[in-house]
Amino acid sequence: MSERIVGWILFLLFSTSVGYEEENKYTDPNHVSDLCLADDGTDKNQCSKSGRNELTRLDGVEVGHTRLITLDGDKPLHISTLNMKPLIFEIKDFFTEAECEHMINLAKKIGLESSITQQESKGVNGIKIMDSNGDQKLDFTEMKITIEDNFDIYLDDADLRTIYADLGIDPNKNDLVTKEEMSNVTPREMTEYMNYLVKTSPTKKSRFSEQAWIFPDNHKDKLLDKFKRRLKAILGIPPMLVDKHNAIQVVHYGQHGHYNAHQDSGSTNLPCCHLHKNTKCMICRYLTFMVYLNDVEEGGETAFPVANNKTFNQRDFRHSGSTHLNSKCSEANLRLKPERGKAVLWYNHLINEETGWLGELDDFTWHGGCPVTKGTKWIMNRWINASPDKEVDLQL
Ligand code: OGA
Ligand code: FE2
């Protein structure tokens, strides 16, 4: 009995996030990005020539605005503004059909790994209980968030009732779990149950896909070189950020494959993983450049559930269940349709105007992949890492 009670670490978590009434905070580095865009994509980038070692973002101007980039010996690229809040661009036909296939084949050659085989280990020693209102019992919403945060498993009301019955957590069946009722099960038992659930119902995991990592430095490959040149020309950021940390992730979603809403970058004060691999760290990704590598027969849109909302409050958002793109995709404010060869680009962070470098996370970039209902889906992700520390990022 004492193991049961001691095993439960009760963290009463009160959300500190407060909604804010701010329009957008986007900086307007138009002059800088234009300067960069004059570049032909080689390392002689105008940004570094002029000594402007700043993080820039393309100026969206307005939805529908298009700019043209011409690269020596390569095709022209049309960059169109898709959305302003968050700022999202699309580049149709960024890759040809052959280029898409080349990337898929590279990934297959390397070998794809399932996203659901990664074992969750943190649940074994103690589970963080998300009693948001501090009333010493968990209602359905609080229990769902507890399970999401500890096990990365997304459940509905019916799933919870089954679990309560299977584990004997809620004997009086009032859909509320008190501290005492919770101690009917040990964290270990709960973890084992969740592992079993993932094996039998993989779609309940936040991410149901398989992926491969391509490290361009390990391949002599013309397309990977071309990709890098195009990226430098488009982004207009210090080119060394494109040279460093340049892994490409290719993702394959099969039937019912999906990825619940998330942010591609972290918001805590931990050191960035691209600089401190062996310590507790968070992923710091200034921007996301994603390419759809095939046409999806049905579903598989990239959803931005809170795009263009006036305000954002993380607690309300989580509690609304809108992160569950498996069931809530149609409610997302913005959905991008996969189209073979189309690239999309968004900035996960704002710019810190004082440092000219990585600023706060842009709350409106929450996004994910809707379930693939027919066919399969292939994408590739190329993130640009940056940390709040400009000097460190610019070291060779
Ligand atoms: C991701 C992601 C969206 C999609 O891989 O991080 O958000 O449409 N993917 O697959
Ligand atoms: Fe993502």
Side-chain angles (χ1 to χ4, degrees):
M1 185 67 179
S2 71
E3 187 216 339
R4 284 163 194 258
I5 291 177
V6 173
W8 287 101
I9 300 174
L10 197 69
F11 285 84
L12 302 180
L13 288 187
F14 297 93
S15 172
T16 49
S17 57
V18 209
Y20 58 83
E21 288 278 348
E22 207 167 295
E23 269 308 310
N24 67 47
K25 289 198 213 168
Y26 300 120
T27 54
D28 180 9
N30 196 16
H31 57 294
V32 178
S33 51
D34 283 344
L35 201 66
C36 301
L37 290 175
D39 174 50
D40 67 358
T42 66
D43 280 7
K44 290 184 239 71
N45 190 305
Q46 294 287 333
C47 297
S48 50
K49 260 201 234 166
S50 62
R52 296 201 76 120
N53 276 333
E54 288 183 350
L55 272 188
T56 52
R57 44 161 72 205
L58 296 181
D59 184 1
V61 184
E62 61 184 351
V63 172
H65 176 266
T66 298
R67 67 178 82 212
L68 176 68
I69 295 195
T70 36
L71 282 160
D72 286 346
D74 203 348
K75 61 178 175 187
L77 299 169
H78 297 265
I79 309 177
S80 305
T81 307
L82 259 188
N83 199 69
M84 295 296 284
K85 191 180 176 185
L87 186 56
I88 308 175
F89 295 93
E90 76 166 15
I91 308 165
K92 288 201 172 169
D93 300 314
F94 176 79
F95 272 168
T96 61
E97 180 176 359
E99 288 171 340
C100 289
E101 272 170 18
H102 185 85
M103 292 307 300
I104 292 174
N105 288 333
L106 253 174
K108 284 182 178 166
K109 217 160 79 189
I110 289 166
L112 292 131
E113 282 181 7
S114 167
S115 63
I116 57 157
T117 51
Q118 293 151 12
Q119 282 298 318
E120 296 294 316
S121 58
K122 62 183 170 186
V124 178
N125 297 324
I127 292 169
K128 285 187 185 181
I129 306 293
M130 305 304 188
D131 179 14
S132 322
N133 60 6
D135 66 356
Q136 305 290 309
K137 46 185 181 279
L138 299 184
D139 60 21
F140 268 2
T141 303
E142 290 167 335
M143 182 59 95
K144 280 181 203 166
I145 290 179
T146 298
I147 292 173
E148 287 169 19
D149 284 358
N150 287 279
F151 302 101
D152 195 28
I153 293 173
Y154 290 69
L155 303 171
D156 57 29
D157 292 359
D159 296 326
L160 283 188
R161 289 203 180 93
T162 309
I163 293 172
Y164 290 178
D166 286 351
L167 292 174
I169 297 181
D170 181 28
N172 61 359
K173 293 195 169 59
N174 67 349
D175 295 345
L176 290 171
V177 177
T178 62
K179 203 170 157 186
E180 290 71 39
E181 286 174 331
M182 198 68 169
S183 55
N184 287 340
V185 61
T186 64
R188 178 174 295 278
E189 285 163 348
M190 184 90 162
T191 303
E192 279 164 9
Y193 187 94
M194 293 299 155
N195 286 343
Y196 154 81
L197 201 67
V198 166
K199 285 209 185 82
T200 49
S201 312
T203 58
K204 297 198 191 303
K205 194 84 176 145
S206 75
R207 187 175 200 181
F208 184 32
S209 62
E210 45 178 11
Q211 54 270 324
W213 288 93
I214 299 172
F215 296 95
D217 300 341
N218 300 342
H219 299 264
K220 256 197 151 8
D221 186 291
K222 282 203 182 109
L223 179 59
L224 294 179
D225 294 342
K226 212 185 248 184
F227 175 57
K228 195 202 256 187
R229 267 177 22 94
R230 288 179 192 168
L231 212 51
K232 284 182 184 177
I234 292 167
L235 298 177
I237 53 176
M240 69 150 64
L241 293 185
V242 181
D243 289 322
K244 296 203 288 186
H245 315 293
N246 55 3
I248 294 168
Q249 185 191 50
V250 174
V251 185
H252 174 240
Y253 300 90
Q255 269 288 310
H256 309 298
H258 71 273
Y259 193 176
N260 279 345
H262 60 277
Q263 284 180 296
D264 283 349
S265 191
S267 62
T268 62
N269 288 326
L270 290 171
C272 293
C273 299
H274 66 278
L275 302 172
H276 302 268
K277 285 208 168 53
N278 299 321
T279 51
K280 212 170 169 221
C281 60
M282 67 166 179
I283 285 172
C284 304
R285 294 168 174 155
Y286 172 49
L287 64 83
T288 299
F289 193 91
M290 188 178 97
V291 189
Y292 298 104
L293 300 176
N294 74 334
D295 289 317
V296 181
E297 272 182 77
E298 225 174 81
E301 301 93 340
T302 305
F304 290 78
V306 295
N308 303 315
N309 276 357
K310 203 155 183 222
T311 58
F312 176 78
N313 178 294
Q314 179 150 323
R315 186 179 177 277
D316 292 348
F317 176 56
R318 293 284 312 275
H319 280 241
S320 72
S322 304
T323 56
H324 301 214
L325 292 181
N326 231 346
S327 52
K328 295 282 181 78
C329 210
S330 59
E331 291 173 25
N333 289 351
L334 178 70
R335 287 185 301 281
L336 315 184
K337 193 175 156 49
E339 271 170 55
R340 187 181 59 214
K342 178 169 84 179
V344 287
L345 152 69
W346 67 86
Y347 297 86
N348 300 306
H349 288 259
L350 306 171
I351 306 257
N352 178 324
E353 290 183 25
E354 262 170 49
T355 61
W357 208 250
L358 193 80
E360 280 172 48
L361 261 186
D362 181 345
D363 291 329
F364 299 95
T365 60
W366 277 84
H367 68 279
C370 299
V372 173
T373 45
K374 205 164 169 203
T376 65
K377 173 180 167 191
W378 288 89
I379 57 158
M380 66 174 245
N381 284 311
R382 172 69 165 84
W383 293 287
I384 298 292
N385 293 115
S387 77
D389 191 337
K390 177 177 175 172
E391 308 307 320
V392 175
D393 282 334
L394 290 176
Q395 271 163 21
L396 278 173

